[in-house]
Amino acid sequence: QQQVKQSPQSLIVQKGGIPIINCAYENTAFDYFPWYQQFPGKGPALLIAIRPDVSEKKEGRFTISFNKSAKQFSLHIMDSQPGDSATYFCAASYLTYSGRYQLTFGKGTKLSVIP
Amino acid sequence: EAGVTQFPSHSVIEKGQTVTLRCDPISGHDNLYWYRRVMGKEIKFLLHFVKESKQDESGMPNNRFLAERTGGTYSTLKVQPAELEDSGVYFCASGQDISNSPLHFGNGTRLTVT
Protein backbone atom coordinates (compact mmCIF):
# COMPACT_ATOMS: atom_id res chain seq x y z
CA GLN A 1 0.00 0.00 0.00
CA GLN A 2 1.48 3.27 -1.11
CA GLN A 3 1.23 5.82 1.67
CA VAL A 4 2.21 8.88 -0.35
CA LYS A 5 0.82 9.19 -3.87
CA GLN A 6 2.66 11.53 -6.22
CA SER A 7 1.67 12.84 -9.64
CA PRO A 8 2.46 13.32 -12.42
CA GLN A 9 5.13 10.73 -13.11
CA SER A 10 6.80 13.07 -15.59
CA LEU A 11 6.42 16.69 -16.56
CA ILE A 12 7.77 18.82 -19.38
CA VAL A 13 7.55 22.62 -19.25
CA GLN A 14 9.03 25.52 -21.12
CA LYS A 15 11.57 27.76 -19.44
CA GLY A 16 9.73 30.31 -17.33
CA GLY A 17 6.75 28.02 -16.82
CA ILE A 18 5.38 26.96 -13.42
CA PRO A 19 5.48 23.19 -13.00
CA ILE A 20 3.24 21.84 -10.25
CA ILE A 21 3.77 18.46 -8.61
CA ASN A 22 1.06 17.03 -6.41
CA CYS A 23 1.11 14.60 -3.53
CA ALA A 24 -1.62 13.05 -1.40
CA TYR A 25 -1.48 11.03 1.78
CA GLU A 26 -3.83 9.03 3.99
CA ASN A 27 -2.02 8.70 7.31
CA THR A 28 -3.05 11.62 9.53
CA ALA A 29 -0.09 10.87 11.80
CA PHE A 30 2.25 12.42 9.23
CA ASP A 31 3.52 15.71 10.62
CA TYR A 32 6.42 16.72 8.40
CA PHE A 33 6.39 17.00 4.63
CA PRO A 34 9.72 17.49 2.83
CA TRP A 35 10.49 17.65 -0.86
CA TYR A 36 13.70 16.20 -2.23
CA GLN A 37 15.42 17.05 -5.51
CA GLN A 38 17.57 14.48 -7.26
CA PHE A 39 19.86 15.08 -10.23
CA PRO A 40 21.04 12.16 -12.38
CA GLY A 41 23.79 10.18 -10.69
CA LYS A 42 23.30 11.98 -7.40
CA GLY A 43 21.39 11.24 -4.25
CA PRO A 44 18.21 13.07 -3.23
CA ALA A 45 18.81 16.41 -1.53
CA LEU A 46 16.37 18.23 0.73
CA LEU A 47 14.80 21.13 -1.16
CA ILE A 48 12.08 22.52 1.08
CA ALA A 49 9.83 21.20 3.83
CA ILE A 50 6.60 22.15 5.58
CA ARG A 51 4.68 21.25 8.71
CA PRO A 52 0.87 20.92 8.72
CA ASP A 53 0.32 24.00 10.87
CA VAL A 54 1.00 26.28 7.89
CA SER A 55 -0.68 26.33 4.49
CA GLU A 56 2.21 27.64 2.43
CA LYS A 57 5.98 27.92 2.57
CA LYS A 58 8.17 29.70 0.08
CA GLU A 59 11.93 29.50 -0.41
CA GLY A 60 13.22 31.35 -3.42
CA ARG A 61 11.41 30.07 -6.51
CA PHE A 62 10.06 26.99 -4.71
CA THR A 63 6.71 27.01 -2.90
CA ILE A 64 4.90 24.28 -1.01
CA SER A 65 1.13 24.55 -0.71
CA PHE A 66 -0.44 22.40 1.98
CA ASN A 67 -4.12 21.48 2.38
CA LYS A 68 -4.53 19.62 5.66
CA SER A 69 -8.26 18.89 5.28
CA ALA A 70 -7.73 17.39 1.82
CA LYS A 71 -4.50 15.67 2.91
CA GLN A 72 -2.73 17.05 -0.12
CA PHE A 73 0.39 19.09 -0.71
CA SER A 74 2.08 20.36 -3.81
CA LEU A 75 5.33 21.87 -5.04
CA HIS A 76 5.33 24.88 -7.36
CA ILE A 77 8.46 26.06 -9.14
CA MET A 78 8.21 29.67 -10.25
CA ASP A 79 10.08 30.86 -13.34
CA SER A 80 11.44 27.37 -13.97
CA GLN A 81 14.91 27.06 -15.50
CA PRO A 82 16.64 24.25 -17.41
CA GLY A 83 18.81 23.73 -14.32
CA ASP A 84 15.68 22.71 -12.41
CA SER A 85 15.42 19.58 -14.57
CA ALA A 86 15.60 16.75 -12.05
CA THR A 87 13.49 14.15 -10.30
CA TYR A 88 11.44 15.49 -7.42
CA PHE A 89 10.24 13.34 -4.55
CA CYS A 90 7.64 14.33 -2.03
CA ALA A 91 7.83 12.65 1.34
CA ALA A 92 6.07 12.51 4.67
CA SER A 93 7.22 11.45 8.08
CA TYR A 94 5.73 10.60 11.45
CA LEU A 95 6.97 9.54 14.86
CA THR A 96 6.77 5.77 15.18
CA TYR A 97 6.08 3.76 18.34
CA SER A 98 9.83 3.24 18.71
CA GLY A 99 10.44 6.98 18.88
CA ARG A 100 11.85 7.20 15.39
CA TYR A 101 10.76 9.45 12.55
CA GLN A 102 9.97 7.28 9.54
CA LEU A 103 10.26 8.98 6.15
CA THR A 104 7.92 7.72 3.40
CA PHE A 105 8.54 8.79 -0.18
CA GLY A 106 6.35 9.22 -3.24
CA LYS A 107 7.33 7.60 -6.53
CA GLY A 108 8.97 10.72 -7.91
CA THR A 109 8.30 13.14 -10.77
CA LYS A 110 10.81 13.59 -13.54
CA LEU A 111 10.78 17.26 -14.54
CA SER A 112 12.27 18.50 -17.77
CA VAL A 113 12.49 22.25 -18.38
CA ILE A 114 12.98 23.03 -22.05
CA PRO A 115 15.00 26.16 -22.94
CA GLU B 1 32.34 18.87 5.13
CA ALA B 2 32.57 15.59 3.23
CA GLY B 3 29.22 14.16 2.23
CA VAL B 4 27.87 10.64 2.49
CA THR B 5 30.02 8.32 0.41
CA GLN B 6 28.83 5.08 -1.12
CA PHE B 7 30.87 2.40 -2.83
CA PRO B 8 30.66 1.00 -5.43
CA SER B 9 28.64 3.35 -7.60
CA HIS B 10 27.59 0.46 -9.84
CA SER B 11 27.60 -3.29 -9.43
CA VAL B 12 26.53 -5.95 -11.90
CA ILE B 13 26.36 -9.49 -10.55
CA GLU B 14 24.75 -12.75 -11.50
CA LYS B 15 21.85 -14.28 -9.65
CA GLY B 16 23.13 -16.29 -6.70
CA GLN B 17 26.26 -14.22 -6.18
CA THR B 18 27.06 -12.07 -3.18
CA VAL B 19 27.46 -8.32 -3.16
CA THR B 20 28.50 -5.97 -0.37
CA LEU B 21 27.66 -2.29 -0.47
CA ARG B 22 29.46 0.21 1.70
CA CYS B 23 28.39 3.55 3.13
CA ASP B 24 30.52 6.13 4.91
CA PRO B 25 28.24 8.65 6.64
CA ILE B 26 29.05 12.24 7.45
CA SER B 27 31.40 12.34 10.40
CA GLY B 28 29.53 12.80 13.65
CA HIS B 29 26.20 11.59 12.34
CA ASP B 30 24.95 8.88 14.68
CA ASN B 31 21.97 8.03 12.51
CA LEU B 32 22.49 6.00 9.36
CA TYR B 33 19.75 4.78 7.07
CA TRP B 34 19.58 2.46 4.09
CA TYR B 35 16.93 2.98 1.42
CA ARG B 36 16.28 1.30 -1.92
CA ARG B 37 14.59 2.49 -5.08
CA VAL B 38 13.44 -0.03 -7.61
CA MET B 39 13.03 1.55 -11.05
CA GLY B 40 9.91 3.67 -11.27
CA LYS B 41 8.95 3.01 -7.68
CA GLU B 42 9.21 5.01 -4.50
CA ILE B 43 12.33 5.19 -2.37
CA LYS B 44 11.72 2.60 0.34
CA PHE B 45 13.15 2.43 3.83
CA LEU B 46 15.26 -0.62 4.63
CA LEU B 47 16.78 -0.01 8.04
CA HIS B 48 18.09 2.51 10.54
CA PHE B 49 21.20 2.45 12.72
CA VAL B 50 21.83 4.64 15.72
CA LYS B 51 25.57 4.40 16.19
CA GLU B 52 26.30 0.66 15.93
CA SER B 53 22.82 -0.51 16.98
CA LYS B 54 20.02 -1.45 14.61
CA GLN B 55 17.13 0.79 15.64
CA ASP B 56 14.65 -0.43 13.07
CA GLU B 57 15.09 -3.06 10.38
CA SER B 58 11.43 -3.46 9.51
CA GLY B 59 12.05 -2.57 5.88
CA MET B 60 14.56 -5.31 5.17
CA PRO B 61 13.02 -7.53 2.46
CA ASN B 62 14.20 -10.89 3.79
CA ASN B 63 17.07 -12.69 5.48
CA ARG B 64 19.22 -12.52 2.36
CA PHE B 65 20.01 -8.96 3.39
CA LEU B 66 22.44 -8.30 6.23
CA ALA B 67 23.46 -4.86 7.40
CA GLU B 68 26.22 -4.00 9.82
CA ARG B 69 27.73 -0.84 11.18
CA THR B 70 31.14 -1.41 12.65
CA GLY B 71 31.96 0.79 15.63
CA GLY B 72 29.23 3.20 14.71
CA THR B 73 31.16 4.47 11.70
CA TYR B 74 30.76 3.04 8.20
CA SER B 75 28.05 0.55 7.31
CA THR B 76 27.83 -2.38 4.94
CA LEU B 77 24.83 -3.99 3.34
CA LYS B 78 25.36 -7.52 2.09
CA VAL B 79 23.02 -9.34 -0.23
CA GLN B 80 23.57 -13.10 -0.27
CA PRO B 81 22.51 -14.77 -2.50
CA ALA B 82 21.31 -12.04 -4.82
CA GLU B 83 18.04 -12.45 -6.73
CA LEU B 84 16.78 -10.62 -9.81
CA GLU B 85 14.29 -8.58 -7.77
CA ASP B 86 17.13 -7.13 -5.70
CA SER B 87 18.10 -4.88 -8.62
CA GLY B 88 17.70 -1.20 -7.90
CA VAL B 89 19.51 1.79 -6.48
CA TYR B 90 20.54 1.51 -2.86
CA PHE B 91 20.87 4.81 -1.03
CA CYS B 92 22.51 5.47 2.26
CA ALA B 93 21.63 8.55 4.29
CA SER B 94 22.88 9.99 7.54
CA GLY B 95 21.51 12.50 10.00
CA GLN B 96 22.46 14.17 13.25
CA ASP B 97 19.53 13.09 15.40
CA ILE B 98 16.25 11.23 15.15
CA SER B 99 14.06 14.28 14.82
CA ASN B 100 13.17 15.73 11.45
CA SER B 101 16.62 17.15 10.86
CA PRO B 102 17.59 16.84 7.19
CA LEU B 103 18.84 13.52 5.93
CA HIS B 104 21.95 13.69 3.77
CA PHE B 105 21.93 11.10 1.02
CA GLY B 106 24.82 9.48 -0.77
CA ASN B 107 24.84 9.13 -4.54
CA GLY B 108 23.65 5.55 -4.30
CA THR B 109 24.83 2.19 -5.56
CA ARG B 110 23.09 0.94 -8.68
CA LEU B 111 22.84 -2.84 -8.34
CA THR B 112 21.95 -4.96 -11.34
CA VAL B 113 21.36 -8.67 -10.84
CA THR B 114 21.33 -10.64 -14.10
Side-chain angles (χ1 to χ4, degrees):
Chain A
Q1 180 184 6
Q2 188 184 348
Q3 295 197 53
V4 180
K5 294 184 178 181
Q6 182 172 349
S7 63
Q9 186 175 0
S10 63
L11 189 54
I12 301 174
V13 299
Q14 295 275 355
K15 176 184 174 182
I18 305 175
I20 300 173
I21 304 171
N22 300 298
C23 286
Y25 64 96
E26 290 295 327
N27 189 346
T28 55
F30 287 139
D31 62 0
Y32 177 69
F33 301 87
W35 285 87
Y36 282 79
Q37 178 188 55
Q38 183 188 17
F39 293 107
K42 302 294 185 181
L46 180 64
L47 183 64
I48 186 173
I50 196 169
R51 293 192 180 276
D53 53 347
V54 297
S55 59
E56 184 175 282
K57 183 173 182 180
K58 185 175 181 178
E59 288 185 4
R61 295 183 294 107
F62 300 90
T63 299
I64 301 177
S65 297
F66 188 85
N67 186 330
K68 187 174 180 178
S69 61
K71 291 186 284 187
Q72 295 175 347
F73 58 110
S74 59
L75 177 70
H76 302 232
I77 306 176
M78 310 302 286
D79 187 27
S80 59
Q81 301 296 313
D84 296 330
S85 298
T87 298
Y88 292 80
F89 293 93
C90 63
S93 78
Y94 66 98
L95 186 64
T96 68
Y97 66 91
S98 61
R100 183 185 68 80
Y101 278 93
Q102 175 149 309
L103 198 57
T104 301
F105 288 88
K107 288 188 175 182
T109 296
K110 186 174 182 180
L111 172 67
S112 299
V113 181
I114 301 171
Chain B
E1 142 183 290
V4 176
T5 305
Q6 291 187 246
F7 182 84
S9 57
H10 294 82
S11 180
V12 181
I13 62 172
E14 293 184 352
K15 176 182 173 181
Q17 289 186 320
T18 297
V19 63
T20 300
L21 314 181
R22 172 168 170 147
C23 169
D24 287 77
I26 293 173
S27 177
H29 282 189
D30 288 340
N31 293 276
L32 187 149
Y33 302 80
W34 284 97
Y35 288 87
R36 177 176 72 176
R37 188 186 189 210
V38 173
M39 187 179 293
K41 302 291 186 181
E42 63 270 30
I43 300 172
K44 279 196 170 181
F45 167 82
L46 295 178
L47 87 158
H48 170 212
F49 283 100
V50 176
K51 297 184 179 179
E52 68 276 9
S53 300
K54 290 178 185 175
Q55 191 75 7
D56 184 343
E57 52 183 330
S58 61
M60 295 286 263
N62 50 61
N63 58 11
R64 295 186 293 103
F65 289 74
L66 176 64
E68 295 179 325
R69 189 177 183 193
T70 307
T73 55
Y74 70 91
S75 175
T76 58
L77 179 64
K78 180 189 288 186
V79 185
Q80 179 182 31
E83 298 289 344
L84 298 178
E85 64 265 24
D86 300 332
S87 296
V89 181
Y90 289 77
F91 290 105
C92 174
S94 71
Q96 288 184 308
D97 57 44
I98 63 170
S99 68
N100 283 320
S101 57
L103 289 186
H104 300 264
F105 282 80
N107 290 337
T109 294
R110 181 176 295 278
L111 174 64
T112 303
V113 183
T114 62

